[in-house]
Amino acid sequence: MANNPQDQRIDPRRKRFFKRNIKVEGSLQKSGNRFILKFLEIYEEQITDELKTVIHGYMSEVLHSIFFLGNIHREKIMPTDFFEEKELLKLNNKFSKPFNEFCTHLPTRTPFSILLDAVVKIKGSQNETQVMEYLSTLLKELSVPKPTNMTYSNYYTLEATVICMCHYERNGLKGPNPNPNFYGGSLSCKGLKERKVMIALSCLEPWTPAVAYAVAFADEGAYIKLPKDVISEAFQRDLKTDSYLEKAPCTKCITIFRGVSFKPCYTGNNKKVPWPYGNCAETESLSKLLKADVTLRGQVEVHNKTGIVHLDLETHQIHSKATETLVKELPEGSFVGPSNVFQFFNLNPAHSQI
């Protein structure tokens, strides 16, 4: 059943909850409020009808993604808990859909991934310097707290500390943008359950089957092999300077994405990393590239420990493993429609079920 923000906003218990937790630096409630209001500024700054329409869609998606994360948080946070009453009424008036579907429909990506797409749309995919400078400025304006007595990992900032840009280098192509860049961010949500859920959702929805298979079955020896003309560059935000610095790939990226020309090159230290497969920015970036380039998709080899995999025969395994994770981690019977299939938040209802 849809929630009515106007009913909940007069509940004195929710008001006390908001006033208490909105002051806690690094909490999801505080970070979510800052992130949403900053994204609203981006939306309101657009002057062309085309960008206004596109960013409106991104704004709805950001709201839904943050509301969903609040809904599965260890201390459940309702949409109304993120805002003062005036903010709540303004947002619900312009973007009612996420308020109604945060507990019935699943997101397909994290808030930062949506923000990254919005920035690339505004600045242009080939203007990587402007993209990173604009992102750095936004994150600085969000006033993400610097580590003090707590470690940075304890902050629920909604920020992806690493972004990746990749393209397929082909010579001789004509046109204004023959080798477009595709961007991705590292997984920007905290908590083991949240990470498991978002990776499983990504395997079902935005990632291509090849990338999803490599991630889902990496522990069983799965990987994909791409042409060396696929160039991948990662950048990590320096918290001291609020700028992005080059970052070499981790051991998990070079394990499941073989043949890619990484810049900077892998350092070869074989250092074990704590994050799961699918967490890195390279995953989202390479998936977007493959989704956009049919020719390149045809050159990708999918492998497991026994040899080359015929992906058409393995798609059901990806779906089954991701579904198993979601059933285990989410409340029983939640986020499914009348046909007992998962419902995804989508501004186009024709593509909202899987």
Side-chain angles (χ1 to χ4, degrees):
M1 181 179 294
N3 290 276
N4 188 332
Q6 295 197 35
D7 289 342
Q8 292 194 28
R9 70 183 174 86
I10 61 175
D11 185 342
R13 292 173 300 174
R14 306 314 301 183
K15 285 186 177 181
R16 289 195 297 270
F17 181 86
F18 171 82
K19 289 181 179 179
R20 181 177 72 248
N21 290 283
I22 199 65
K23 298 177 182 178
V24 180
E25 290 289 355
S27 69
L28 174 56
Q29 188 176 354
K30 181 75 169 181
S31 298
N33 174 273
R34 282 174 168 160
F35 197 100
I36 290 167
L37 296 183
K38 175 53 64 176
F39 207 103
L40 182 63
E41 286 181 23
I42 297 173
Y43 166 70
E44 292 177 339
E45 287 170 357
Q46 305 313 310
I47 57 176
T48 68
D49 290 342
E50 179 188 1
L51 274 178
K52 199 83 170 178
T53 300
V54 172
I55 305 302
H56 184 282
Y58 287 147
M59 182 78 219
S60 293
E61 197 179 353
V62 161
L63 285 165
H64 178 267
S65 186
I66 291 176
F67 293 166
F68 170 81
L69 291 173
N71 188 49
I72 66 171
H73 196 257
R74 62 181 181 273
E75 184 178 21
K76 182 176 287 193
I77 303 171
M78 300 297 291
T80 52
D81 298 330
F82 285 101
F83 312 108
E84 295 181 351
E85 287 189 16
K86 186 168 68 173
E87 297 167 347
L88 172 65
L89 293 174
K90 178 181 179 180
L91 286 163
N92 187 54
N93 183 52
K94 289 188 175 181
F95 310 95
S96 60
K97 189 175 175 69
F99 284 90
N100 295 328
E101 297 188 359
F102 74 95
C103 60
T104 60
H105 290 66
L106 295 163
T108 58
R109 50 189 180 158
T110 62
F112 187 90
S113 290
I114 306 163
L115 172 64
L116 184 56
D117 269 8
V119 172
V120 172
K121 181 69 177 178
I122 293 167
K123 295 298 181 181
S125 67
Q126 299 310 101
N127 300 320
E128 57 266 25
T129 300
Q130 292 183 37
V131 167
M132 284 187 275
E133 288 177 349
Y134 189 44
L135 271 177
S136 295
T137 300
L138 287 175
L139 293 170
K140 187 175 182 179
E141 290 173 353
L142 280 172
S143 303
V144 174
K146 298 293 190 295
T148 52
N149 295 330
M150 298 171 63
T151 62
Y152 185 73
S153 60
N154 287 331
Y155 289 113
Y156 207 130
T157 64
L158 297 172
E159 175 199 0
T161 55
V162 178
I163 61 173
C164 180
M165 176 182 69
C166 71
H167 70 276
Y168 185 27
E169 188 70 47
R170 286 172 292 186
N171 297 322
L173 295 181
K174 297 181 180 180
N177 191 11
N179 298 310
N181 293 321
F182 294 87
Y183 295 77
S186 55
L187 204 60
S188 57
C189 57
K190 306 295 183 184
L192 180 60
K193 178 175 76 171
E194 286 87 341
R195 289 177 183 273
K196 286 182 178 179
V197 167
M198 292 309 301
I199 289 173
L201 290 175
S202 298
C203 285
L204 287 179
E205 266 289 303
W207 291 346
T208 61
V211 168
Y213 183 84
V215 169
F217 298 100
D219 289 327
E220 301 172 30
Y223 66 91
I224 59 175
K225 187 175 181 180
L226 300 97
K228 61 180 176 56
D229 294 326
V230 173
I231 314 298
S232 175
E233 302 175 76
F235 304 86
Q236 184 168 20
R237 192 165 80 93
D238 186 319
L239 297 176
K240 295 179 180 179
T241 63
D242 286 309
S243 61
Y244 284 95
L245 305 178
E246 289 184 336
K247 181 184 182 301
C250 71
T251 53
K252 291 190 172 179
C253 284
I254 66 162
T255 298
I256 63 173
F257 302 128
R258 303 190 186 181
V260 175
S261 296
F262 290 105
K263 295 182 179 180
C265 298
Y266 174 60
T267 56
N269 58 15
N270 292 317
K271 181 180 178 181
K272 188 175 182 180
V273 294
W275 48 83
Y277 288 102
N279 182 88
C280 295
E282 287 86 345
T283 311
E284 182 177 38
S285 176
L286 288 168
S287 179
K288 287 180 179 178
L289 171 61
L290 292 177
K291 185 172 287 188
D293 197 315
V294 177
T295 302
L296 177 59
R297 264 202 321 271
Q299 299 179 54
V300 174
E301 292 181 0
V302 183
H303 292 253
N304 62 18
K305 59 185 177 182
T306 63
I308 295 179
V309 171
H310 295 288
L311 196 56
D312 290 344
L313 304 178
E314 303 294 335
T315 303
H316 70 283
Q317 289 192 33
I318 304 170
H319 189 280
S320 295
K321 187 166 185 177
T323 300
E324 181 182 343
T325 298
L326 295 176
V327 169
K328 180 180 178 181
E329 299 294 338
L330 296 175
E332 183 177 358
S334 60
F335 304 103
V336 295
S339 302
N340 203 33
V341 294
F342 283 121
Q343 300 182 124
F344 286 88
F345 183 78
N346 197 313
L347 299 177
N348 181 358
H351 303 285
S352 62
Q353 293 190 344
I354 189 170

